[in-house]
Amino acid sequence: LPIGGQPTADDGASIIMTELSGEQYGTVLYDHWYSWQWRYHLFDQPVYVSWFPHLENLGLDLSAFGRVSGPRYIVLPNSSYADPVIRTIAEQGFKLQAVRSVHMIDGSPGMTLYKINWD
């Protein structure tokens, strides 16, 4: 069943999370928009949800830990809201690899799970 009172608000989250099932301990999922929904879907998975309130926090975390620990992922909306986040990730020397995209029930843009890779 959809989570919460607005089923379309997080439509696709369960589909996105199937891609992270079975990931290794130490895997990090960065998030700015859906914090508790990811914790719900990843309750029994060894994936740590790292919520960032500001882009500066994401940049600092990636520069400090992005190359020294487990796999890193981020879920971004399929809209221009993702552009500043993508720039911040690139400024830290990382590239995004799309893993899975979903659309809302009404066909509007949804979200995409990206793996964060470095050169």
Side-chain angles (χ1 to χ4, degrees):
L1 296 174
I3 301 170
Q6 287 185 294
T8 58
D10 44 3
D11 182 42
S14 61
I15 296 168
I16 291 285
M17 289 303 96
T18 61
E19 297 295 327
L20 293 177
S21 64
E23 276 291 335
Q24 67 187 24
Y25 182 80
T27 299
V28 174
L29 174 65
Y30 290 106
D31 174 64
H32 178 71
W33 290 275
Y34 283 104
S35 182
W36 73 266
Q37 288 93 334
W38 301 139
R39 287 187 181 95
Y40 173 83
H41 288 291
L42 295 167
F43 175 73
D44 61 349
Q45 299 293 320
V47 176
Y48 175 74
V49 178
S50 178
W51 181 76
F52 60 93
H54 305 287
L55 291 174
E56 180 182 12
N57 299 96
L58 174 62
L60 289 171
D61 192 272
L62 282 172
S63 69
F65 304 110
R67 293 174 177 85
V68 295
S69 60
R72 304 212 169 237
Y73 294 87
I74 190 165
V75 177
L76 298 173
N78 295 334
S79 71
S80 61
Y81 290 114
D83 294 345
V85 179
I86 293 168
R87 278 192 302 274
T88 298
I89 292 169
E91 288 168 359
Q92 296 301 319
F94 294 88
K95 295 181 180 180
L96 294 177
Q97 173 189 349
V99 176
R100 180 86 186 252
S101 289
V102 295
H103 288 83
M104 303 291 268
I105 291 172
D106 64 5
S108 62
M111 60 185 93
T112 298
L113 172 68
Y114 294 95
K115 185 169 186 184
I116 301 173
N117 297 314
W118 62 89
D119 295 331

